[in-house]
Amino acid sequence: MLLISCPFCGPRDETEFRCGGQSHIQRPGPHTAVSDADWGAYLYTRDNPKGWHFERWLHAGGCRQWFNLARSTVTHEIRAVYAMGEAAPVIGESS
Amino acid sequence: MRYSALTLARNALTGHRQWQPMWRDAQPQPHYDVVIVGGGGHGLATAYYLAKHHGVKRVAVLEKAWIGGGNTGRNTTIVRSNYFLPESSAFYEFSVQLYEKLSRELNYNIMFSQRGMITLAHSRHDEETLRRSFNAMSLNGVDCEWLEPDEVFERMPLYNRAGRFPVRAGLDQPRAGSARHDAVAWGYARAASDLGVDIIQNCEVTGFLGGDGHVGGVSTSRGNIGADKVCLAVAGHTSQIAAKAGLQLPITSYALQAFVSEPVKPVFDTVVLSPATGVYLSQTDKGELVIGGALDLYPSYAQRGNFHTVENVVAGMLEMFPAFSRLRLMRQWAGIVDVVRDSSPILGPSPVDNLYLNCGFGTGGFKAIPAGGWTMAHTLATGDVHPLIKPFALERFQNGALIDEAAAAGIAH
Ligand SMILES: Cc1cc2nc3c(=O)[nH]c(=O)nc-3n(C[C@H](O)[C@H](O)[C@H](O)COP(=O)(O)OP(=O)(O)OC[C@H]3O[C@@H](n4cnc5c(N)ncnc54)[C@H](O)[C@@H]3O)c2cc1C
Ligand SMILES: [Zn+2]
């Protein structure tokens, strides 16, 4: 079970949160210039790394704010909590 | 060695010392017509049908650990075809029909037990959705039966009659059931090996030979192996391997857990799914309850699973069967499943020449092993995508022709 530090509420049990999947996905545009391939990739293609994953979380059972986590998909270790819109932090290899 | 009552008797009389290994321990050859990556049910079945139906001579299945040790050996073994959309219904129904004949086909008892599977409705809205499934199944030509609450309780006397989620109806697919997972993997492996397929364990694929939009083989922990065609059947690890060929896929990997209780006397003889609790269970011939629930909450490659899902599943099961409250769980584990947005598999060629995909089965591909193997073998051998899997092409994520079983079935098994 994860203990997740909401930037607004502090450490809370993972069951209060929802994982919103990969973060930092940019919507391509302008819309009329976007190919089917790019639009499909935007909607569906995901990194799915075995290792560090930069992902969006929602504190659904708390302040209802979104924020980002850098979390290992192998150990589940959380290395960084950072704001929406902020660039992904650089994380070392080992976890 | 053909298995029969006679072979069993003969071996019993000779102290069971004459049994042969079920498949050859093959050494990697420099080149194959087809290399299949992943020795789960799908990879092994594909190899079997390649040799059996299409006479493809040189086929290898490369498995990084031991065959059937992935999701095939970790799943709750429910086999059913109560799908909603015509494309899925046709594919999974074909698979169930192959399961019905599989023990004979492979000369291996896969213990397919068609004990039926009952999906419950707990509210008026559930009931309407279930009616819709009933109608869809009937239109798709898959036999099913509508059960009133007393008929549900007759089938499962221990089911909670006074719970928080009352039973308002049930939908039974009588031909659904369960099969022995290891037997499916071993049965296909043995039959494929007898037809000349090389089954190579402890051989991890680490990359591809070729380049420039095509593959010509694989690099492995046991050296390079050339191949005219390569088929990926690695379930939750597809993204990693496909990335080595420059492919990014619409897949996210999650842990899905299962649980087994201590064995008890026969207490119910069907499979039951309660959408309200998110829990489904069945009882094995040995008497253990096999219990499954929803996915863990976030992407993961840790094959262990998360505790709060354990709590949810146990609570859900007890809501369904309060009588099981004293039962101990003997084992709990997780498999890494390849989840796709529309909950339908990705089957067929990839944008990389000579590289084929069998993935995206997520939480429900055990039931699809015979059909997945059959149709992928056809596709690999003839170069024509088998008609049953044309709708499951990777292109659907570009052209929008999704097969959205997530909304239609909404269940994880
Ligand atoms: C808990 C749980 C319950 C489930 N319940 C059901 C159910 O009731 N009914 C149902 O129909 N489905 C169910 N499923 C889903 C089902 O188990 C899978 O969809 C199915 O087994 C996938 O089979 P596969 O052969 O594609 O993959 P797997 O059986 O996972 O085989 C893939 C193989 O590839 C190997 N591999 C990975 N990477 C490499 C590499 N680099 N080189 C070589 N080999 C590699 C792995 O070791 C593995 O053996 C369940 C899954 C889980 C986890
Ligand atoms: Zn918060």
Coordinates of all heavy atoms in Angstrom, one line a residue, chain B residues 34-120:
Chain B
V34 N 9.5 -19.4 -38.3 CA 8.8 -18.5 -37.4 C 9.4 -18.6 -36.0 O 9.6 -19.7 -35.5 CB 7.3 -18.8 -37.3 CG1 6.6 -17.9 -36.4 CG2 6.7 -18.7 -38.7
V35 N 9.7 -17.5 -35.4 CA 10.1 -17.5 -34.0 C 9.0 -16.8 -33.2 O 8.5 -15.7 -33.5 CB 11.4 -16.7 -33.7 CG1 11.5 -16.2 -32.3 CG2 12.6 -17.6 -34.1
I36 N 8.5 -17.5 -32.2 CA 7.5 -16.9 -31.3 C 8.1 -16.6 -30.0 O 8.8 -17.4 -29.3 CB 6.3 -18.0 -31.1 CG1 5.6 -18.2 -32.4 CG2 5.3 -17.5 -30.1 CD1 4.8 -19.4 -32.6
V37 N 7.9 -15.3 -29.6 CA 8.5 -14.8 -28.3 C 7.4 -15.0 -27.2 O 6.4 -14.3 -27.3 CB 8.9 -13.4 -28.4 CG1 9.7 -13.0 -27.2 CG2 9.8 -13.2 -29.7
G38 N 7.7 -15.8 -26.2 CA 6.7 -15.9 -25.1 C 6.1 -17.3 -25.1 O 5.4 -17.7 -26.1
G39 N 6.4 -18.1 -24.1 CA 5.9 -19.5 -24.0 C 4.7 -19.5 -23.1 O 4.6 -20.4 -22.2
G40 N 3.7 -18.6 -23.2 CA 2.4 -18.8 -22.6 C 1.5 -19.5 -23.5 O 1.9 -20.0 -24.5
G41 N 0.2 -19.6 -23.1 CA -0.7 -20.3 -23.9 C -0.8 -19.8 -25.3 O -0.8 -20.7 -26.3
H42 N -0.8 -18.5 -25.5 CA -1.0 -18.0 -26.9 C 0.2 -18.4 -27.8 O 0.1 -18.7 -28.9 CB -1.2 -16.5 -26.9 CG -2.6 -16.2 -26.6 ND1 -3.6 -16.1 -27.5 CD2 -3.2 -15.9 -25.4 CE1 -4.8 -15.8 -26.9 NE2 -4.6 -15.7 -25.6
G43 N 1.5 -18.2 -27.3 CA 2.6 -18.6 -28.0 C 2.7 -20.0 -28.4 O 2.9 -20.4 -29.5
L44 N 2.4 -20.9 -27.4 CA 2.4 -22.3 -27.6 C 1.3 -22.8 -28.6 O 1.6 -23.6 -29.5 CB 2.3 -23.0 -26.3 CG 3.5 -22.8 -25.3 CD1 3.1 -23.2 -23.9 CD2 4.7 -23.6 -25.8
A45 N 0.1 -22.2 -28.4 CA -0.9 -22.6 -29.3 C -0.6 -22.1 -30.8 O -0.9 -22.9 -31.7 CB -2.3 -22.0 -28.9
T46 N -0.1 -21.0 -30.9 CA 0.3 -20.5 -32.2 C 1.3 -21.4 -32.9 O 1.1 -21.8 -34.1 CB 0.9 -19.1 -32.2 OG1 0.0 -18.2 -31.5 CG2 1.2 -18.5 -33.5
A47 N 2.3 -21.9 -32.1 CA 3.3 -22.8 -32.6 C 2.6 -24.1 -33.1 O 2.9 -24.7 -34.1 CB 4.4 -23.0 -31.6
Y48 N 1.7 -24.6 -32.2 CA 1.1 -25.9 -32.5 C 0.3 -25.8 -33.8 O 0.4 -26.7 -34.7 CB 0.2 -26.3 -31.3 CG -0.8 -27.4 -31.6 CD1 -0.3 -28.7 -31.7 CD2 -2.1 -27.2 -31.9 CE1 -1.1 -29.8 -32.0 CE2 -3.0 -28.3 -32.2 CZ -2.4 -29.6 -32.2 OH -3.3 -30.6 -32.5
Y49 N -0.5 -24.8 -34.0 CA -1.3 -24.7 -35.2 C -0.5 -24.4 -36.4 O -0.8 -24.8 -37.5 CB -2.5 -23.7 -35.0 CG -3.5 -24.1 -34.0 CD1 -3.7 -23.4 -32.8 CD2 -4.3 -25.3 -34.2 CE1 -4.6 -23.8 -31.9 CE2 -5.2 -25.7 -33.3 CZ -5.4 -24.9 -32.1 OH -6.3 -25.3 -31.2
L50 N 0.6 -23.7 -36.2 CA 1.5 -23.5 -37.4 C 2.0 -24.8 -37.9 O 2.0 -25.1 -39.1 CB 2.8 -22.6 -37.0 CG 2.6 -21.1 -37.0 CD1 3.8 -20.5 -36.4 CD2 2.5 -20.6 -38.5
A51 N 2.4 -25.7 -37.0 CA 2.9 -27.0 -37.4 C 1.8 -27.9 -37.9 O 1.9 -28.6 -38.9 CB 3.7 -27.7 -36.3
K52 N 0.7 -27.9 -37.1 CA -0.4 -28.8 -37.4 C -1.2 -28.5 -38.7 O -1.4 -29.3 -39.5 CB -1.3 -28.8 -36.2 CG -2.6 -29.6 -36.3 CD -2.4 -31.1 -36.0 CE -3.6 -32.0 -36.3 NZ -4.8 -31.7 -35.6
H53 N -1.6 -27.2 -38.8 CA -2.5 -26.8 -39.9 C -1.7 -26.4 -41.2 O -2.2 -26.4 -42.3 CB -3.4 -25.7 -39.5 CG -4.4 -26.1 -38.5 ND1 -5.2 -25.1 -37.9 CD2 -4.8 -27.3 -38.1 CE1 -6.0 -25.8 -37.0 NE2 -5.8 -27.1 -37.2
H54 N -0.5 -25.8 -41.0 CA 0.1 -25.1 -42.1 C 1.4 -25.8 -42.5 O 2.1 -25.3 -43.4 CB 0.3 -23.6 -41.7 CG -1.0 -23.0 -41.4 ND1 -1.9 -22.6 -42.3 CD2 -1.5 -22.7 -40.2 CE1 -3.0 -22.0 -41.7 NE2 -2.7 -22.1 -40.4
G55 N 1.8 -26.8 -41.8 CA 3.0 -27.6 -42.1 C 4.3 -26.7 -42.1 O 5.2 -27.0 -42.7
V56 N 4.3 -25.7 -41.2 CA 5.5 -24.9 -41.1 C 6.5 -25.7 -40.3 O 6.2 -26.1 -39.2 CB 5.2 -23.5 -40.5 CG1 6.5 -22.7 -40.4 CG2 4.1 -22.7 -41.2
K57 N 7.6 -25.9 -40.9 CA 8.6 -26.9 -40.4 C 9.4 -26.4 -39.2 O 9.5 -27.0 -38.2 CB 9.5 -27.4 -41.5 CG 8.8 -28.3 -42.5 CD 8.7 -29.7 -42.0 CE 7.9 -30.6 -42.9 NZ 6.5 -30.2 -43.1
R58 N 10.0 -25.2 -39.4 CA 10.9 -24.8 -38.4 C 10.3 -23.6 -37.6 O 10.2 -22.5 -38.0 CB 12.2 -24.3 -39.1 CG 12.9 -25.5 -39.8 CD 14.1 -25.0 -40.6 NE 13.7 -24.0 -41.5 CZ 14.5 -23.2 -42.2 NH1 15.8 -23.3 -42.0 NH2 14.1 -22.3 -43.0
V59 N 9.8 -24.0 -36.4 CA 9.2 -23.1 -35.5 C 9.8 -23.2 -34.1 O 10.1 -24.3 -33.7 CB 7.6 -23.4 -35.4 CG1 7.0 -22.4 -34.4 CG2 7.0 -23.3 -36.8
A60 N 10.1 -22.0 -33.5 CA 10.6 -22.0 -32.2 C 9.7 -21.1 -31.3 O 9.3 -20.1 -31.7 CB 12.1 -21.5 -32.1
V61 N 9.6 -21.6 -30.0 CA 8.9 -20.8 -29.0 C 10.0 -20.4 -28.0 O 10.6 -21.3 -27.4 CB 7.8 -21.5 -28.3 CG1 7.2 -20.7 -27.2 CG2 6.7 -21.9 -29.3
L62 N 10.3 -19.1 -27.9 CA 11.4 -18.7 -26.9 C 10.7 -18.2 -25.7 O 9.9 -17.2 -25.7 CB 12.3 -17.6 -27.6 CG 12.8 -17.9 -29.0 CD1 13.7 -16.8 -29.4 CD2 13.6 -19.3 -29.0
E63 N 11.1 -18.8 -24.5 CA 10.5 -18.4 -23.3 C 11.6 -18.0 -22.3 O 12.5 -18.7 -22.1 CB 9.7 -19.5 -22.7 CG 9.3 -19.4 -21.2 CD 8.5 -18.1 -20.9 OE1 7.5 -17.8 -21.6 OE2 9.0 -17.4 -19.9
K64 N 11.5 -16.8 -21.7 CA 12.5 -16.3 -20.9 C 12.7 -17.1 -19.6 O 13.8 -17.2 -19.0 CB 12.4 -14.8 -20.6 CG 11.3 -14.5 -19.5 CD 11.4 -13.0 -19.2 CE 10.2 -12.6 -18.3 NZ 10.0 -11.2 -18.1
A65 N 11.6 -17.7 -19.1 CA 11.7 -18.5 -17.9 C 11.2 -19.9 -18.2 O 11.8 -20.6 -18.9 CB 10.9 -17.8 -16.8
W66 N 10.1 -20.3 -17.6 CA 9.5 -21.6 -17.9 C 8.1 -21.4 -18.5 O 7.5 -20.4 -18.3 CB 9.4 -22.5 -16.6 CG 8.5 -21.9 -15.6 CD1 7.2 -22.2 -15.4 CD2 8.8 -20.9 -14.6 NE1 6.7 -21.5 -14.3 CE2 7.6 -20.7 -13.8 CE3 10.0 -20.2 -14.2 CZ2 7.6 -19.8 -12.7 CZ3 9.9 -19.3 -13.1 CH2 8.7 -19.2 -12.4
I67 N 7.8 -22.3 -19.4 CA 6.5 -22.1 -20.1 C 5.3 -22.2 -19.2 O 5.3 -22.9 -18.2 CB 6.3 -23.2 -21.3 CG1 6.2 -24.6 -20.7 CG2 7.4 -23.1 -22.3 CD1 5.6 -25.5 -21.7
G68 N 4.4 -21.3 -19.5 CA 3.2 -21.2 -18.6 C 3.4 -20.5 -17.3 O 2.5 -20.5 -16.5
G69 N 4.6 -19.9 -17.1 CA 4.8 -19.2 -15.9 C 4.4 -17.8 -15.8 O 4.4 -17.1 -14.8
G70 N 3.9 -17.3 -17.0 CA 3.3 -15.9 -17.0 C 1.9 -15.9 -16.6 O 1.5 -16.7 -15.7
N71 N 1.1 -15.1 -17.3 CA -0.3 -15.0 -16.9 C -1.1 -16.3 -17.1 O -2.1 -16.6 -16.4 CB -1.0 -13.9 -17.7 CG -0.4 -12.5 -17.3 OD1 0.2 -12.4 -16.3 ND2 -0.7 -11.5 -18.1
T72 N -0.6 -17.1 -18.1 CA -1.4 -18.4 -18.3 C -1.4 -19.2 -17.0 O -2.4 -19.8 -16.7 CB -0.7 -19.2 -19.5 OG1 -0.8 -18.3 -20.7 CG2 -1.4 -20.5 -19.7
G73 N -0.3 -19.2 -16.3 CA -0.2 -20.0 -15.1 C -0.7 -19.2 -13.9 O -0.6 -19.8 -12.7
R74 N -1.1 -18.0 -14.0 CA -1.5 -17.2 -12.9 C -3.0 -16.8 -13.0 O -3.5 -16.1 -12.1 CB -0.7 -15.9 -12.9 CG 0.7 -16.1 -12.7 CD 1.5 -14.9 -13.1 NE 2.9 -15.2 -12.9 CZ 3.6 -15.0 -11.8 NH1 3.0 -14.4 -10.8 NH2 4.9 -15.3 -11.7
N75 N -3.7 -17.3 -14.0 CA -5.1 -16.8 -14.2 C -6.1 -17.6 -13.5 O -5.8 -18.7 -13.0 CB -5.3 -16.6 -15.7 CG -6.0 -17.8 -16.3 OD1 -7.2 -17.9 -16.5 ND2 -5.1 -18.8 -16.6
T76 N -7.3 -17.1 -13.4 CA -8.4 -17.8 -12.7 C -9.2 -18.7 -13.6 O -10.2 -19.3 -13.2 CB -9.4 -16.8 -12.0 OG1 -9.7 -15.8 -13.0 CG2 -8.7 -16.1 -10.9
T77 N -8.7 -18.9 -14.8 CA -9.2 -20.0 -15.7 C -10.6 -20.0 -16.1 O -11.2 -21.0 -16.5 CB -8.8 -21.4 -15.2 OG1 -9.7 -21.7 -14.1 CG2 -7.4 -21.5 -14.8
I78 N -11.3 -18.8 -16.1 CA -12.6 -18.8 -16.6 C -12.7 -18.7 -18.1 O -12.0 -17.9 -18.7 CB -13.4 -17.6 -16.0 CG1 -13.2 -17.5 -14.5 CG2 -14.9 -17.7 -16.4 CD1 -13.7 -18.7 -13.7
V79 N -13.4 -19.6 -18.7 CA -13.6 -19.7 -20.2 C -15.1 -19.4 -20.5 O -15.9 -20.1 -19.9 CB -13.2 -21.1 -20.7 CG1 -13.5 -21.2 -22.2 CG2 -11.7 -21.3 -20.4
R80 N -15.3 -18.4 -21.3 CA -16.7 -18.0 -21.6 C -16.7 -17.3 -22.9 O -15.7 -16.8 -23.4 CB -17.2 -17.1 -20.5 CG -16.4 -15.9 -20.3 CD -16.7 -15.0 -19.1 NE -15.7 -13.9 -19.0 CZ -15.8 -12.8 -19.7 NH1 -16.8 -12.5 -20.5 NH2 -14.9 -11.8 -19.5
S81 N -17.9 -17.1 -23.4 CA -18.1 -16.2 -24.7 C -19.3 -15.3 -24.6 O -19.9 -15.1 -25.5 CB -18.1 -17.1 -25.9 OG -19.3 -18.0 -25.8
N82 N -19.6 -14.9 -23.4 CA -20.7 -14.0 -23.1 C -20.4 -12.5 -23.4 O -20.7 -11.7 -22.6 CB -21.3 -14.2 -21.7 CG -20.2 -14.0 -20.7 OD1 -19.1 -13.8 -21.0 ND2 -20.6 -14.1 -19.4
Y83 N -19.8 -12.3 -24.6 CA -19.4 -11.0 -25.0 C -20.6 -10.2 -25.6 O -21.6 -10.8 -26.0 CB -18.2 -11.0 -25.9 CG -17.0 -11.2 -25.1 CD1 -16.7 -12.5 -24.5 CD2 -16.1 -10.2 -24.9 CE1 -15.5 -12.7 -23.8 CE2 -14.9 -10.4 -24.2 CZ -14.6 -11.6 -23.6 OH -13.5 -11.8 -22.9
F84 N -20.4 -8.9 -25.8 CA -21.5 -8.1 -26.3 C -21.4 -7.8 -27.8 O -22.4 -8.0 -28.5 CB -21.5 -6.8 -25.5 CG -22.6 -5.9 -25.8 CD1 -23.8 -6.1 -25.2 CD2 -22.6 -4.9 -26.7 CE1 -24.9 -5.4 -25.4 CE2 -23.7 -4.1 -27.0 CZ -24.9 -4.3 -26.4
L85 N -20.3 -7.4 -28.3 CA -20.2 -7.0 -29.7 C -20.0 -8.2 -30.6 O -19.3 -9.2 -30.2 CB -19.0 -6.0 -29.8 CG -19.2 -4.7 -29.0 CD1 -17.9 -3.9 -28.9 CD2 -20.3 -3.9 -29.5
P86 N -20.5 -8.1 -31.8 CA -20.4 -9.3 -32.7 C -19.0 -9.7 -33.0 O -18.8 -10.9 -33.1 CB -21.1 -8.8 -34.0 CG -21.8 -7.5 -33.7 CD -21.2 -7.0 -32.4
E87 N -18.1 -8.8 -33.1 CA -16.7 -9.2 -33.4 C -16.1 -10.0 -32.3 O -15.5 -11.1 -32.5 CB -15.8 -8.0 -33.6 CG -16.1 -7.1 -34.8 CD -17.2 -6.0 -34.4 OE1 -17.8 -6.1 -33.3 OE2 -17.4 -5.1 -35.2
S88 N -16.3 -9.6 -31.0 CA -15.7 -10.3 -29.9 C -16.5 -11.7 -29.7 O -15.9 -12.7 -29.5 CB -15.9 -9.6 -28.6 OG -16.0 -8.2 -28.8
S89 N -17.8 -11.6 -29.9 CA -18.6 -12.8 -29.7 C -18.1 -13.9 -30.7 O -18.0 -15.0 -30.3 CB -20.1 -12.4 -30.0 OG -20.9 -13.5 -29.8
A90 N -17.9 -13.5 -31.9 CA -17.5 -14.5 -32.9 C -16.2 -15.1 -32.5 O -16.0 -16.4 -32.6 CB -17.4 -13.9 -34.3
F91 N -15.2 -14.3 -32.1 CA -13.9 -14.8 -31.8 C -13.9 -15.6 -30.6 O -13.4 -16.7 -30.6 CB -13.0 -13.5 -31.6 CG -11.6 -13.9 -31.2 CD1 -10.7 -14.4 -32.1 CD2 -11.2 -13.7 -29.9 CE1 -9.4 -14.7 -31.7 CE2 -9.9 -14.0 -29.5 CZ -9.0 -14.5 -30.4
Y92 N -14.5 -15.2 -29.5 CA -14.5 -15.9 -28.2 C -15.4 -17.2 -28.3 O -15.0 -18.2 -27.7 CB -14.9 -15.0 -27.0 CG -13.8 -14.0 -26.7 CD1 -14.0 -12.6 -27.1 CD2 -12.6 -14.3 -26.1 CE1 -13.0 -11.7 -26.8 CE2 -11.6 -13.4 -25.8 CZ -11.8 -12.1 -26.2 OH -10.8 -11.2 -25.9
E93 N -16.4 -17.1 -29.0 CA -17.3 -18.3 -29.2 C -16.5 -19.4 -29.9 O -16.6 -20.6 -29.6 CB -18.6 -18.0 -29.9 CG -19.5 -19.1 -30.2 CD -19.9 -20.0 -29.0 OE1 -19.8 -19.5 -27.9 OE2 -20.2 -21.2 -29.2
F94 N -15.8 -19.0 -31.0 CA -14.9 -19.9 -31.7 C -13.9 -20.6 -30.7 O -13.7 -21.8 -30.7 CB -14.2 -19.2 -32.8 CG -13.3 -20.1 -33.6 CD1 -13.8 -21.2 -34.3 CD2 -11.9 -19.8 -33.7 CE1 -12.9 -22.0 -35.0 CE2 -11.1 -20.6 -34.5 CZ -11.6 -21.7 -35.1
S95 N -13.4 -19.8 -29.8 CA -12.4 -20.3 -28.8 C -13.1 -21.3 -27.9 O -12.5 -22.4 -27.6 CB -11.8 -19.1 -28.0 OG -10.5 -19.4 -27.6
V96 N -14.3 -21.0 -27.4 CA -15.0 -21.9 -26.5 C -15.2 -23.2 -27.2 O -15.0 -24.3 -26.6 CB -16.3 -21.3 -25.9 CG1 -17.1 -22.3 -25.2 CG2 -16.0 -20.1 -25.0
Q97 N -15.6 -23.1 -28.5 CA -15.9 -24.4 -29.2 C -14.6 -25.2 -29.4 O -14.6 -26.4 -29.4 CB -16.5 -24.0 -30.6 CG -17.9 -23.6 -30.4 CD -18.6 -23.2 -31.7 OE1 -18.1 -23.5 -32.8 NE2 -19.7 -22.5 -31.6
L98 N -13.5 -24.5 -29.6 CA -12.2 -25.2 -29.6 C -11.9 -25.9 -28.3 O -11.4 -27.0 -28.2 CB -11.0 -24.3 -30.1 CG -11.1 -23.8 -31.6 CD1 -9.9 -22.9 -31.8 CD2 -11.1 -25.0 -32.5
Y99 N -12.1 -25.1 -27.2 CA -11.9 -25.7 -25.9 C -12.7 -27.0 -25.7 O -12.3 -27.9 -25.0 CB -12.3 -24.7 -24.8 CG -11.1 -23.9 -24.2 CD1 -11.0 -22.6 -24.4 CD2 -10.1 -24.6 -23.5 CE1 -9.9 -21.9 -23.8 CE2 -9.1 -23.9 -22.9 CZ -8.9 -22.6 -23.1 OH -7.9 -21.9 -22.6
E100 N -13.9 -27.0 -26.2 CA -14.8 -28.2 -26.0 C -14.1 -29.4 -26.6 O -14.4 -30.5 -26.1 CB -16.2 -27.9 -26.7 CG -17.0 -26.9 -25.8 CD -18.3 -26.5 -26.5 OE1 -18.4 -26.6 -27.7 OE2 -19.2 -26.1 -25.8
K101 N -13.3 -29.3 -27.6 CA -12.7 -30.4 -28.2 C -11.2 -30.6 -27.9 O -10.5 -31.4 -28.4 CB -12.8 -30.3 -29.8 CG -14.3 -30.4 -30.2 CD -14.4 -30.1 -31.7 CE -14.4 -28.6 -31.9 NZ -14.8 -28.1 -33.2
L102 N -10.7 -29.7 -27.0 CA -9.2 -29.6 -26.9 C -8.5 -30.8 -26.3 O -7.5 -31.2 -26.7 CB -8.9 -28.3 -26.1 CG -7.4 -27.8 -26.3 CD1 -7.1 -27.5 -27.8 CD2 -7.2 -26.5 -25.5
S103 N -9.2 -31.4 -25.3 CA -8.5 -32.5 -24.6 C -8.2 -33.6 -25.6 O -7.2 -34.2 -25.6 CB -9.4 -33.1 -23.5 OG -9.5 -32.2 -22.4
R104 N -9.2 -33.9 -26.5 CA -9.1 -34.9 -27.5 C -8.0 -34.5 -28.5 O -7.2 -35.3 -28.9 CB -10.4 -35.1 -28.2 CG -10.6 -36.4 -29.0 CD -12.0 -36.6 -29.3 NE -12.8 -37.0 -28.1 CZ -13.1 -38.3 -27.8 NH1 -12.8 -39.2 -28.6 NH2 -13.8 -38.5 -26.7
E105 N -8.1 -33.2 -29.0 CA -7.2 -32.7 -30.0 C -5.8 -32.9 -29.5 O -4.9 -33.2 -30.3 CB -7.6 -31.2 -30.2 CG -6.5 -30.4 -31.0 CD -6.7 -30.5 -32.5 OE1 -7.8 -30.8 -33.0 OE2 -5.7 -30.2 -33.2
L106 N -5.5 -32.6 -28.3 CA -4.1 -32.6 -27.8 C -3.7 -33.9 -27.1 O -2.6 -34.0 -26.8 CB -3.9 -31.4 -26.8 CG -4.2 -30.0 -27.3 CD1 -4.0 -29.0 -26.1 CD2 -3.2 -29.6 -28.4
N107 N -4.7 -34.8 -27.0 CA -4.5 -36.0 -26.2 C -3.9 -35.7 -24.8 O -2.9 -36.2 -24.4 CB -3.5 -37.0 -27.0 CG -3.2 -38.2 -26.2 OD1 -2.0 -38.6 -26.0 ND2 -4.2 -38.9 -25.7
Y108 N -4.6 -34.7 -24.2 CA -4.1 -34.2 -22.9 C -5.3 -33.7 -22.2 O -6.1 -32.9 -22.7 CB -3.1 -33.1 -23.1 CG -2.2 -32.9 -21.9 CD1 -0.9 -33.4 -21.9 CD2 -2.7 -32.1 -20.8 CE1 -0.1 -33.2 -20.8 CE2 -1.9 -31.9 -19.7 CZ -0.6 -32.4 -19.7 OH 0.2 -32.2 -18.6
N109 N -5.6 -34.2 -21.0 CA -6.8 -33.8 -20.3 C -6.6 -32.3 -19.7 O -5.9 -32.1 -18.7 CB -7.1 -34.7 -19.1 CG -8.4 -34.4 -18.4 OD1 -9.1 -33.5 -18.9 ND2 -8.7 -35.2 -17.4
I110 N -7.3 -31.4 -20.4 CA -7.2 -30.0 -19.9 C -8.3 -29.7 -18.9 O -8.5 -28.6 -18.4 CB -7.3 -29.0 -21.1 CG1 -8.6 -29.1 -21.8 CG2 -6.1 -29.1 -22.0 CD1 -9.1 -27.8 -22.4
M111 N -9.1 -30.7 -18.5 CA -10.1 -30.6 -17.5 C -11.1 -29.5 -17.7 O -11.4 -28.7 -16.8 CB -9.4 -30.5 -16.1 CG -8.6 -31.7 -15.7 SD -7.5 -31.4 -14.3 CE -8.7 -31.4 -13.0
F112 N -11.5 -29.3 -18.9 CA -12.5 -28.3 -19.2 C -13.8 -28.7 -18.6 O -14.4 -29.7 -19.0 CB -12.6 -28.1 -20.7 CG -13.5 -26.9 -21.1 CD1 -13.5 -25.8 -20.4 CD2 -14.3 -27.0 -22.3 CE1 -14.4 -24.7 -20.7 CE2 -15.1 -25.9 -22.6 CZ -15.1 -24.8 -21.9
S113 N -14.3 -27.9 -17.7 CA -15.5 -28.2 -16.9 C -16.5 -27.1 -17.2 O -16.5 -26.0 -16.7 CB -15.2 -28.3 -15.4 OG -16.3 -28.0 -14.7
Q114 N -17.5 -27.5 -18.0 CA -18.6 -26.5 -18.5 C -19.7 -26.5 -17.4 O -20.7 -27.0 -17.6 CB -19.1 -26.9 -19.8 CG -18.0 -26.6 -20.9 CD -18.4 -27.1 -22.3 OE1 -18.6 -28.3 -22.5 NE2 -18.6 -26.1 -23.2
R115 N -19.4 -25.8 -16.3 CA -20.3 -25.7 -15.2 C -21.2 -24.5 -15.2 O -21.9 -24.2 -14.3 CB -19.5 -25.8 -13.9 CG -18.5 -24.6 -13.9 CD -17.6 -24.7 -12.7 NE -16.6 -25.8 -12.8 CZ -15.7 -26.1 -11.8 NH1 -15.6 -25.3 -10.7 NH2 -14.9 -27.1 -12.0
G116 N -21.1 -23.7 -16.3 CA -21.9 -22.5 -16.4 C -21.3 -21.4 -15.7 O -20.4 -21.5 -14.9
M117 N -21.7 -20.2 -16.1 CA -21.2 -19.0 -15.4 C -22.4 -18.0 -15.3 O -23.1 -17.7 -16.3 CB -20.1 -18.3 -16.2 CG -19.8 -17.0 -15.6 SD -18.5 -16.1 -16.3 CE -18.9 -14.5 -15.8
I118 N -22.6 -17.6 -14.1 CA -23.8 -16.7 -13.8 C -23.3 -15.3 -13.5 O -22.5 -15.1 -12.6 CB -24.6 -17.3 -12.6 CG1 -25.0 -18.7 -12.9 CG2 -25.8 -16.4 -12.3 CD1 -25.7 -19.4 -11.7
T119 N -23.8 -14.4 -14.3 CA -23.5 -12.9 -14.0 C -24.8 -12.4 -13.3 O -25.9 -12.6 -13.8 CB -23.3 -12.2 -15.3 OG1 -22.2 -12.8 -16.0 CG2 -22.9 -10.7 -15.0
L120 N -24.6 -11.7 -12.2 CA -25.7 -11.3 -11.4 C -26.1 -9.8 -11.7 O -25.3 -9.1 -12.2 CB -25.4 -11.4 -9.9 CG -25.1 -12.8 -9.4 CD1 -24.7 -12.8 -7.9 CD2 -26.3 -13.7 -9.6

